Amino acid sequence: MKHVAHYLKRTQALSTSKDLLDRLIQVTPLQRLGQAIDIAQAALFLTTDESSYITGSEIVIDGGYSAQ
């Protein structure tokens, strides 16, 4: 969220919540907002054997926003 707040400070004020959501979607590489299922699937992955070699890592779930 820190990145989003920084970006919005640099842009002109948006008139409605819909405008804000539309702008957030536009600046997110996956072109959609995250949903609870996106977080849940990452958490579920961490409980599986496939993640057994992952230790002390941060998993960023932001639709690619922070990779820009």
Side-chain angles (χ1 to χ4, degrees):
M1 266 324 204
K2 182 175 81 174
H3 298 290
V4 172
H6 177 71
Y7 176 80
L8 292 177
K9 284 181 184 177
R10 295 183 305 155
T11 61
Q12 65 187 37
L14 300 172
S15 59
T16 67
S17 294
K18 180 165 176 14
D19 290 341
L20 174 61
L21 291 177
D22 289 344
R23 187 69 186 130
L24 289 172
I25 291 168
Q26 288 175 0
V27 299
T28 301
L30 291 184
Q31 297 291 295
R32 68 175 180 86
L33 297 176
Q35 299 176 354
I37 191 69
D38 298 316
I39 307 299
Q41 288 175 336
L44 182 60
F45 168 72
L46 292 173
T47 69
T48 67
D49 288 339
E50 286 80 10
S51 69
S52 66
Y53 207 67
I54 296 175
T55 60
S57 297
E58 180 178 314
I59 297 177
V60 180
I61 306 167
D62 68 356
Y65 184 85
S66 62
Q68 300 183 79

